[in-house]
């Protein structure tokens, strides 16, 4: 590990980069399409850790997540 200021960095060789995953994370992420989440709508309400979040599609087709 190299120390830079307050943060510590781990040097990952290119061959290891494809298999490196953060501690506690699974090696394969789930991939879903926004169309399967929104099902034709523009707003999705997400409950996470006791809070409600809004994921919405803007008129320009961008995604915005707000609390």
């Amino acid at each position: 590990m190299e120390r830079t200021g307050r943060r510590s960095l781990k040097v990952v060789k290119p061959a290891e980069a494809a298999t490196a995953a953060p501690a506690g994370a699974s090696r394969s992420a789930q991939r879903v399409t926004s169309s399967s989440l929104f099902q034709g709508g523009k707003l999705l309400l997400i409950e996470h850790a006791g809070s409600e979040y809004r994921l919405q599609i803007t008129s320009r087709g961008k995604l915005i997540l707000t609390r």
Side-chain angles (χ1 to χ4, degrees):
M1 295 236 180
E2 296 176 18
R3 298 224 18 114
T4 310
R6 294 184 194 182
R7 297 180 182 184
S8 59
L9 303 174
K10 179 181 178 187
V11 178
V12 178
K13 297 176 185 173
E16 297 171 348
T19 59
S26 68
R27 292 192 178 252
S28 62
Q30 293 181 7
R31 182 180 298 261
V32 296
T33 62
S34 60
S35 60
S36 69
L37 287 174
F38 286 96
Q39 299 178 0
K42 297 281 184 185
L43 177 65
L44 186 64
L45 299 176
I46 302 169
E47 256 186 62
H48 176 71
S51 295
E52 185 175 271
Y53 294 84
R54 298 166 55 99
L55 182 62
Q56 56 191 14
I57 301 174
T58 67
S59 59
R60 294 183 181 230
K62 306 281 184 178
L63 292 176
I64 296 178
L65 179 65
T66 55
R67 188 168 177 194

